[in-house]
Amino acid sequence: HPLLADKRGAVRTAALLGLLDLGAMKADALTALANDADNNVATVAQLGLGRGVMQQRGEVFKGGAASGG
């Protein structure tokens, strides 16, 4: 995605978050971004690799909604 190549770290971070939410990131791209010069981009990419966001949407949060009581 072109926004992942933007010179501004905040733009790359926002693009990465959106693409992760859509399940549109491949592991090799996340691995490359895990070494990004911008700490926020690198952190989000590392979390994406470690938390299983590559799975189908909804699978990461098995266990249901938190109860309010």
Side-chain angles (χ1 to χ4, degrees):
H1 192 277
L3 291 176
L4 291 175
D6 193 283
K7 65 180 180 178
R8 298 164 293 182
V11 172
R12 292 194 309 278
T13 301
L16 179 55
L17 286 167
L19 291 166
L20 284 170
D21 186 51
L22 294 172
M25 288 298 297
K26 294 184 179 180
D28 58 338
L30 283 173
T31 300
L33 289 169
N35 296 313
D36 193 271
D38 184 272
N39 189 51
N40 290 326
V41 174
T43 299
V44 170
Q46 291 167 11
L47 289 170
L49 287 166
R51 290 187 53 205
V53 293
M54 301 296 294
Q55 299 171 4
Q56 296 269 327
R57 286 183 86 181
E59 288 186 6
V60 175
F61 301 107
K62 288 180 182 176
S67 70

